[in-house]
Amino acid sequence: MEAVNPATGEEVETYETQTEEDVDDALDRATDAFDEWRARPLREREELLEAAGDVLRENKREYAETMTREMGKPITQAVSEVEKCAWACDHYAEHASAYLQPEHHPSPSGSTVKTVYEPIGPVLAVMPWNFPFWQVFRFAAPYVTAGNVGLLKHASNVPGCAKAIEDVFREAGYPEDVFQSLLIPSDLVDDIVEDDRVRAATLTGSGPAGRAVAATAGENLKKTVLELGGSDPYVVLDDADLDAAVETGAWARNQNGGQSCIAAKRFVVHEAVYDDFLDRFVEEIDSYVVGDPMDEETDVGPQAKPSLMDELHEQVEESVEAGANVALGGEPMDREGAFYPPTVLTDVPEGCPADTEEVFGPVATVYEVSDEEEAVEKANDTQFGLGASVWTEDRERGERLARQINAGCVYVNQLVKSDPRVPFGGVKESGYGRELSEVGIKEFLNEKTVWVE
Ligand code: NDP
């Protein structure tokens, strides 16, 4: 398994891919580890998670550089990502006990009825490269603390991150095999999902990958949580604070090289402010520093893989052929590495790729709408339903619109973000199930009713 630096095209390191026999052995070890791990008091599991947070903070520069080398994330954003992982560890170290308190139910006099929360066993996580630490900690911090054991199949282009994450748990003092990274190609995933020793699976990534894992899990009656793509609308109403809407919107589209499921992708702007918004939006985005992701000054690095950049450019070209107008960018940069410039498209015709598909890179589409009703219609005109953002100075109006948008979360006067304290996940083709918060930690547990007469 070869890690290649997308900023230079140079090989970072080559790792030996694990075989089917290695996987079989890993599953045996996960099963043994589970027996011991589930029996540990929850308080001890919380303390180990707290230690994992400390390990992350102590080594944040090193982990950030591993990410930047393997997938091109600008270094300052990589450091923030490690800090956010530590925050998720702190959060569950502090709150897991409260989240997992038995719940008492009304019951006939003389009997006690409650729900207790018990772990189910090894859980497989198939994870993507775009937030190579965060996506994994979002899985591991709650589910492993709840008493499950974790098996990670990370994306093939970030093997160094996969190994580094395994090391975080080791250094924090976790028992061996409570968290294992499997360096395997995706064609071994089906067998793992089918295996009796694995009790559930979660995947963050594309629709086809999610469907494949969910189909096999369904055949085997195993639960899945899927966090798939998004084409999040960013609605700017006539009474929005334009300074804030422009600055936040530009960043919401371009941070992480635009490679985020919850990035603002379709900008739906009221006609009363459209021209003003567009001018300032283009100017703001044009001011970003695109370049070496190891440079602290860089805002936008390369795309994570050359193939992804090619696919992104195809989406832009097809949309332009269909009639879209390029207000900024639009051609791969004439330099070494997978660099695509921040791009803005307007007059985007209905049905073209930039209108209907997930655009996983720094390409914004801007639409003009004549009123609130049309704004909601455009916001909902997508197969996806992950997040949405609405901008208005009238908080009640914002909340009213939030209720009309079909998405897993709507943020008013804020960009969409994941936060350990609140549930995260989508509807429609963005997937199902929720991660984070109390809801997330309970996804892979046996919610057992205990009735004592
Ligand atoms: P994939 O969905 O292909 O990869 C994500 C993870 O799934 C990787 O670990 C991958 O392994 C694995 N995987 C891929 N196919 C299968 C399969 N059939 N069965 C089991 N596991 C599988 O994403 P890509 O990297 O190819 O990116 C393509 C597009 O997916 C992006 O342009 C974007 O639209 C979307 N995406 C969405 C993300 C999100 O955050 N929701 C994150 C990443 C991508 P391997 O690397 O070995 O193929």
Side-chain angles (χ1 to χ4, degrees), residues 189-205:
V189 169
D190 251 4
D191 287 350
I192 301 176
V193 177
E194 274 178 11
D195 196 294
D196 279 347
R197 291 167 289 185
V198 173
R199 301 313 313 149
T202 179
L203 179 140
T204 299

Side-chain angles (χ1 to χ4, degrees), residues 4 118 234 286 365:
V4 176
E118 295 183 352
Y234 187 96
D286 200 25
T365 53

Side-chain angles (χ1 to χ4, degrees), residues 242-394:
L242 271 200
D243 288 340
V246 165
E247 193 184 328
T248 307
W251 192 237
R253 173 65 285 200
N254 288 286
Q255 64 172 320
N256 206 39
Q259 303 162 114
S260 168
C261 48
I262 49 170
K265 292 177 182 138
R266 296 176 300 124
F267 293 78
V268 178
V269 185
H270 194 287
E271 62 182 9
V273 292
Y274 178 83
D275 289 338
D276 201 7
F277 176 86
L278 182 62
D279 285 349
R280 289 155 70 174
F281 186 62
V282 168
E283 195 184 329
E284 174 74 14
I285 292 178
D286 200 25
S287 73
Y288 289 152
V289 178
V290 184
D292 178 3
M294 281 294 178
D295 187 334
E296 304 267 339
E297 298 302 313
T298 294
D299 297 310
V300 180
Q303 301 299 283
K305 296 187 260 187
S307 59
L308 290 167
M309 185 185 74
D310 295 343
E311 283 166 31
L312 176 70
H313 188 50
E314 261 174 48
Q315 288 176 308
V316 170
E317 277 187 318
E318 279 179 37
S319 303
V320 171
E321 270 163 35
N325 171 57
V326 180
L328 184 71
E331 287 292 334
M333 290 168 80
D334 186 16
R335 57 170 290 171
E336 185 182 60
F339 285 91
Y340 202 81
T343 293
V344 178
L345 301 178
T346 61
D347 306 306
V348 177
E350 225 171 87
C352 72
D355 182 52
T356 58
E357 297 173 7
E358 176 169 40
V359 178
F360 217 62
V363 178
T365 53
V366 190
Y367 300 87
E368 183 174 358
V369 291
S370 50
D371 56 27
E372 204 179 284
E373 202 180 22
E374 200 186 333
V376 172
E377 205 176 298
K378 187 70 212 169
N380 285 334
D381 184 18
T382 169
Q383 73 214 34
F384 297 106
L386 194 52
S389 205
V390 175
W391 289 76
T392 167
E393 291 281 66
D394 178 344

Side-chain angles (χ1 to χ4, degrees), residues 126-130 135 153-157 184-186 189-190 203-210 212-213 227-230 260-261 305 308 311 358 360 386:
V126 182
M127 289 290 147
W129 43 264
N130 58 339
Q135 310 275 28
K153 181 271 177 275
H154 218 324
S156 300
N157 57 326
I184 52 168
S186 56
V189 169
D190 251 4
L203 179 140
T204 299
S206 64
V213 166
E227 203 274 90
L228 308 175
S260 168
C261 48
K305 296 187 260 187
L308 290 167
E311 283 166 31
E358 176 169 40
F360 217 62
L386 194 52

Side-chain angles (χ1 to χ4, degrees), residues 28-48:
D28 270 347
R29 285 187 283 116
T31 308
D32 291 345
F34 176 58
D35 289 339
E36 193 264 337
W37 183 240
R38 69 177 310 182
R40 285 219 182 190
L42 177 54
R43 187 63 214 132
E44 279 182 29
R45 298 198 298 257
E46 288 173 334
E47 280 163 11
L48 283 164

